[in-house]
Amino acid sequence: MSRQNLFMISACDSTTVARSWVSVLVVGLALLLGGCDAPQAEFTLNLPFLHSKNVSAPRDQEIANILAALFGTPDEPYLMSAGEIDHRDIVDPVSLKLSAGPVSRDEFGTARGLYREHCVHCHGISGNGAGPTAAFLNPYPRDFRKGQFKFKSTPSGVKPTHDDLKAILVNGIAGTAMPSFAAALSGPEIDALVDYVKYLTIRGQVERSLCISVEELEDGDAFDLAAIMEEAVAPALEAWKIADQQVLAIPPRPDDFDTVESLRRGREFYFGVGGCVKCHGDTQLGDGVLTDYDDWTKDYKDWGNLPVTTPEQVKEKKQFEETYYSLGGLPLRNIKPRNLRHGIYRGGRRPIDIYRRVRNGIEGSPMPAAAMRPPGAGPEVPGLTESDLWDIVNYVRHLPYEPMSRPRAEEPLNDRPPR
Amino acid sequence: MFRPSWSWLFLLIPIFGVAWFVFAINEWPPLAGHWFPQDISAHGNIIDSLFNTILWLTGAIFVGTGIAMFLFLHKYDASYNADPVKYVHGSHVLEVVWSIIPAATLLFIAIYQMSAWANAKVLRPNQPALAEVTGRQFEWRIRYAGEDKIIGTEDDVFTVNDLHVPLNEDVVLAIKSDDVLHSFFLPNLRLKQDVVPGMKQFVWFKPLYERECDIVCAELCGWGHYKMKGRLNVVPRQEFNQWLANKRAEQETSSFTPPAIEEDDES
């Protein structure tokens, strides 16, 4: 504010300074008294989802009130135990203290407001993946409220483990705007943020359950809080608790992984039983299917299945889109299969990372889990075995090093003959 | 003689300017920790002495100019001079002198720094790059050449924001950008190079002390520029080899046993 006043003085012509002194003082005082305070941080409702479930006033306000009672505010967040689950087993209350609230330091110099310092500009105050910078990013930041995560050691439909989420904060996600926080944050700070992500996820999922349950309510009926705790909050908590038990065990990679034979088999599966070729394309450039959408985009409407063959249908889709944007949805974007020749691995480049994605699929994206052969079945039954998966992993890991994957060489700038 | 006048205010400029540097160089509060960080490179003293030479040169001119301006403002203050303003065409000799002196000074600096520039930007040690550092919004992605010393082969080792280099050896790094302009800056090694998208460039240095220090971005590259920070670790050769081997082994992790789940004991 004082900077603004200084600017105004310096911008004035010297002869008019005296005359404008009064007005500068008045404006300065007005700013001083009125303050240029930031708006109060508040959780926003999941408007596209409310709209898709036909939730309207006054139900939306009721939902907001219930959420505020169950989860607090961005400055004072809390979780409650539900069913038999102790909320402290899922999210450490200290983590919420460190992550939430405005950016500051407490009397011991510990950083507070970590989420608002490092995450909020992309992931949004409600974890809706639509912060101020989100629209400029490709891919968009993750919307936590749907409760789905892509890169994890557990199968689709199961929550990631604490370590899975932590790995993403530590390593970043190559090929996206998600950076590594390893140098910027300490271990406990990263743990605190992971816990806060869980908190936002649980809150977002309860919000969704409430929206869905509106359909079952008669006009004038109030929400049944006990039922909400039992049917919405408890399962949302429990999902995090049981994730650790469903981590995929990965058998050791066969020793022949770097042989031509393994690569040949991997290639065969890629074009054959594996079905990879359908989306990732004949040349592995990820150009097989370019018209699909991810689950977060389909949340409001299944745009992929929306027919647009007649002019009326096109017009209808346009109307849907406009409503979607008016509710705060980001511009629609197709999800593209990965270009396997780039050597950029969003979910990690270790063999086990790629194995997991091939085996379990990528939740929320069109990437399906591998079609495995039932245990004990003979070779006549179609499907993949674990050693087949390893061949696919070896093949995929080798693709960026094939001659045709090489990018055009850069022009070296200060590359003169060495001394 | 003292007479109150606005010109005294202008005298504060050289005084403040000098005081600022004196405080910073001597690490006096409130400017403690604002002067150069510790130099751990073999070539850093050359850069520092160049910096100091130019600082002394420009400092002397700054102080002289500030005082001259004050004296003139003071002497010809309108409140004490009733005489009308006189028109002066100028002095040809003076103009020649104040053109030649700066030109000669600049030429001196240009020649004086030539070998420093050549060593930093031209005469690359005859060895392959240890690693490739790619700047992207907002992190440094690092790719070690691995055992075959060639970047772009299957034994490359990938890290993020984590650069280890061997002690007491010439280190060559290839640097490039994934997206926008960055600047690869190692304050403790007195090394800075703009990173331009589409260009592969090289930087080289020789670290002399075991230290952990910062890699920062010195070119505004977007909203997250301030947090584009990595760690540089200078370690003895043997430790470096061990670290690289560990990273490689971790990158090749190819089996996974879920940690045992502790069953809740209800007894």
Side-chain angles (χ1 to χ4, degrees):
Chain A
M1 209 159 43
S2 57
R3 192 183 302 163
Q4 204 164 343
N5 282 351
L6 274 177
F7 173 74
M8 288 169 76
I9 294 169
S10 66
C12 288
D13 189 273
S14 60
T15 55
T16 58
V17 162
R19 253 176 294 156
S20 56
W21 257 112
V22 178
S23 53
V24 167
L25 266 177
V26 167
V27 172
L29 264 178
L31 277 171
L32 196 73
L33 294 175
C36 26
D37 51 356
Q40 180 77 24
E42 276 176 2
F43 286 129
T44 50
L45 282 167
N46 191 345
L47 291 180
F49 195 72
L50 256 70
H51 190 261
S52 70
K53 296 291 166 208
N54 298 317
V55 180
S56 51
R59 289 292 188 202
D60 54 356
Q61 193 51 48
E62 285 173 39
I63 291 176
N65 293 343
I66 292 171
L67 288 171
L70 291 178
F71 296 99
T73 63
D75 287 341
E76 293 275 342
Y78 54 80
L79 266 182
M80 289 200 246
S81 300
E84 290 177 355
I85 315 283
D86 186 342
H87 68 93
R88 283 165 300 189
D89 289 350
I90 315 293
V91 172
D92 187 346
V94 178
S95 296
L96 293 185
K97 268 214 163 60
L98 291 175
S99 309
V103 181
S104 61
R105 287 188 179 268
D106 65 13
E107 64 266 40
F108 307 110
T110 313
R112 296 286 185 90
L114 293 170
Y115 185 80
R116 274 183 232 175
E117 183 170 3
H118 297 285
C119 321
V120 78
H121 43 71
C122 293
H123 290 287
I125 198 93
S126 322
N128 58 1
T133 50
F136 308 107
L137 305 180
N138 190 358
Y140 292 134
R142 178 61 52 245
D143 175 354
F144 303 133
R145 299 170 305 178
K146 197 159 155 50
Q148 290 180 313
F149 295 88
K150 278 184 168 178
F151 307 118
K152 54 188 181 183
S153 57
T154 52
S156 285
V158 179
K159 291 281 174 283
T161 65
H162 187 89
D163 288 343
D164 289 340
L165 291 181
K166 201 172 168 175
I168 289 176
L169 266 75
V170 170
N171 299 324
I173 302 181
T176 76
M178 176 79 183
S180 158
F181 288 96
L185 297 173
S186 70
E189 288 176 331
I190 290 179
D191 280 325
L193 281 173
V194 168
D195 274 355
Y196 196 70
V197 167
K198 290 182 196 168
Y199 161 79
L200 288 174
T201 306
I202 293 165
R203 189 187 169 282
Q205 288 202 277
V206 170
E207 180 180 11
R208 296 169 71 88
S209 308
L210 290 173
C211 294
I212 293 166
S213 65
V214 165
E215 284 177 6
E216 297 159 13
L217 290 177
E218 300 285 332
D219 282 346
D221 273 6
F223 280 102
D224 177 357
L225 270 177
I228 290 169
M229 289 305 278
E230 197 176 321
E231 289 163 20
V233 183
L237 287 172
E238 195 179 8
W240 287 99
K241 190 166 181 165
I242 58 174
D244 282 343
Q245 298 157 23
Q246 305 190 45
V247 175
L248 175 76
I250 302 175
R253 174 170 65 175
D255 290 332
D256 70 342
F257 71 93
D258 52 357
T259 60
V260 177
E261 197 46 35
S262 171
L263 297 181
R264 190 192 59 75
R265 288 196 302 265
R267 189 173 194 280
E268 232 163 65
F269 296 130
Y270 178 94
F271 285 98
V273 195
C276 321
V277 65
K278 187 170 151 260
C279 295
H280 292 283
D282 291 335
T283 46
Q284 296 86 9
L285 291 169
D287 53 359
V289 175
L290 297 171
T291 51
D292 211 342
Y293 296 88
D294 67 20
D295 285 6
W296 292 271
T297 316
K298 285 178 188 167
D299 205 21
Y300 177 71
K301 186 124 223 109
D302 191 349
W303 310 94
N305 283 336
L306 215 55
V308 279
T309 39
T310 66
E312 288 78 39
Q313 287 170 337
V314 172
K315 206 173 154 194
E316 198 184 355
K317 186 185 176 189
K318 195 135 189 76
Q319 276 167 358
F320 274 127
E321 268 182 51
E322 269 159 22
T323 318
Y324 180 59
Y325 297 152
S326 72
L327 296 166
L330 294 167
L332 289 187
R333 220 182 246 162
N334 291 113
I335 186 167
K336 307 231 169 71
R338 192 64 44 242
N339 178 343
L340 300 174
R341 292 188 179 275
H342 269 163
I344 295 172
Y345 301 96
R346 292 190 181 173
R349 64 169 58 244
R350 296 178 303 171
I352 56 167
D353 295 326
I354 299 172
Y355 185 99
R356 280 171 184 152
R357 301 207 282 285
V358 175
R359 173 72 180 82
N360 289 338
I362 299 177
E363 184 167 353
S365 83
M367 170 89 178
M372 300 297 282
R373 182 181 295 161
E380 71 284 352
V381 184
L384 295 162
T385 65
E386 281 162 345
S387 87
D388 297 345
L389 292 185
W390 273 124
D391 288 330
I392 296 177
V393 172
N394 297 337
Y395 175 65
V396 166
R397 268 169 64 89
H398 177 71
L399 279 171
Y401 300 101
E402 284 190 352
M404 76 168 277
S405 306
R406 296 253 161 82
R408 211 178 63 179
E410 296 100 339
E411 204 62 47
L413 179 72
N414 57 357
D415 184 21
R416 295 169 177 89
R419 68 178 178 223
Chain B
M1 93 249 89
F2 177 83
R3 50 187 197 203
S5 137
W6 277 100
S7 53
W8 291 97
L9 199 64
F10 291 93
L11 186 60
L12 290 179
I13 295 173
I15 293 174
F16 265 126
V18 171
W20 192 270
F21 275 85
V22 169
F23 270 68
I25 292 172
N26 290 300
E27 306 270 334
W28 292 339
L31 294 178
H34 281 67
W35 200 239
F36 289 170
Q38 191 197 11
D39 169 32
I40 61 166
S41 71
H43 70 270
N45 58 335
I46 300 171
I47 306 286
D48 286 0
S49 70
L50 259 177
F51 182 93
N52 286 325
T53 309
I54 295 173
L55 180 68
W56 278 108
L57 214 63
T58 50
I61 293 165
F62 169 72
V63 171
T65 316
I67 288 171
M69 278 179 73
F70 160 72
L71 288 177
F72 280 104
L73 285 167
H74 192 70
K75 187 173 178 192
Y76 297 105
D77 193 317
S79 354
Y80 304 100
N81 287 283
D83 300 344
V85 175
K86 267 188 285 185
Y87 178 74
V88 184
H89 177 72
S91 162
H92 193 73
V93 176
L94 200 59
E95 294 218 13
V96 169
V97 169
W98 76 38
S99 300
I100 286 181
I101 292 179
T105 313
L106 287 176
L107 195 65
F108 162 73
I109 295 173
I111 295 167
Y112 183 70
Q113 62 81 50
M114 227 142 144
S115 70
W117 179 267
N119 284 325
K121 303 288 179 190
V122 184
L123 301 172
R124 178 156 59 97
N126 188 9
Q127 65 186 62
L130 178 76
E132 180 186 78
V133 181
T134 307
R136 62 183 288 263
Q137 292 172 323
F138 298 97
E139 63 190 1
W140 300 101
R141 292 207 165 249
I142 294 149
R143 179 176 193 168
Y144 281 90
E147 277 166 24
D148 62 2
K149 302 201 189 306
I150 301 170
I151 294 164
T153 52
E154 287 186 66
D155 72 340
D156 289 356
V157 177
F158 296 80
T159 67
V160 186
N161 289 337
D162 183 4
L163 181 66
H164 277 57
V165 294
L167 181 68
N168 282 326
E169 281 180 39
D170 279 324
V171 175
V172 176
L173 300 173
I175 60 171
K176 60 179 206 176
S177 167
D178 248 5
D179 35 41
V180 298
L181 269 181
H182 299 283
S183 185
F184 182 71
F185 183 23
L186 303 175
N188 297 74
L189 287 142
R190 307 293 190 260
L191 184 145
K192 192 189 272 177
Q193 173 64 54
D194 277 9
V195 191
V196 186
M199 275 179 182
K200 188 177 196 168
Q201 307 181 82
F202 295 92
V203 294
W204 50 91
F205 54 87
K206 186 172 176 181
L208 299 182
Y209 300 97
E210 264 184 76
R211 284 288 182 285
E212 193 185 345
C213 41
D214 286 334
I215 307 170
V216 289
C217 180
E219 178 78 51
L220 181 60
C221 59
W223 58 263
H225 164 65
Y226 69 98
K227 60 168 96 170
M228 188 164 167
K229 190 167 84 172
R231 297 304 277 168
L232 171 77
N233 264 289
V234 183
V235 293
R237 183 75 209 190
Q238 208 173 358
E239 208 179 304
F240 171 77
N241 288 347
Q242 188 57 47
W243 174 84
L244 198 62
N246 288 347
K247 281 279 168 194
R248 169 109 176 105
E250 191 194 324
Q251 192 174 296
E252 286 300 313
T253 309
S254 51
S255 74
F256 185 79
T257 316
I261 307 291
E262 291 169 36
E263 291 297 330
D264 288 339
D265 225 334
E266 298 291 331
S267 60

